[in-house]
Amino acid sequence: GRISAHEVTPAQVAAAGAYVEQFAKGTLYARVDGVMCNGAFHLMELELIEPYLYLDTDSASFGNYYQALSALTVAAAV
């Protein structure tokens, strides 16, 4: 197998986002895997635990993750 980034449409992002909103709201990490079939998005997997966060796939990933962890830490302390 291989890991590669793919371009997604705004409609695909919205469909995936609806699953996150319904089942994983407030989580720090969620990965939505799905397929397009006859123009509709079909969920294959909603992953909420991932030991490998793919932080090397984007140069801003480490900074973004650090910021998110920091925000959660501050919110938990309040």
Side-chain angles (χ1 to χ4, degrees):
R2 64 186 166 121
I3 298 170
S4 59
H6 292 274
E7 295 286 329
V8 295
T9 67
Q12 290 168 325
V13 172
Y19 284 106
V20 173
E21 182 70 23
Q22 184 173 358
F23 298 110
K25 189 174 185 173
T27 61
L28 184 56
Y29 172 86
R31 189 184 81 225
V32 182
D33 295 342
V35 295
M36 296 300 294
C37 184
N38 297 324
F41 181 85
H42 295 272
L43 181 68
M44 293 176 60
E45 178 181 19
L46 177 58
E47 179 120 18
L48 302 178
I49 300 171
E50 177 63 64
Y52 182 74
L53 294 175
Y54 305 100
L55 295 177
D56 62 340
T57 60
D58 185 290
S59 62
S61 293
F62 282 102
N64 290 341
Y65 192 62
Y66 175 80
Q67 293 293 327
L69 286 174
S70 295
L72 280 179
T73 303
V74 169
V78 174

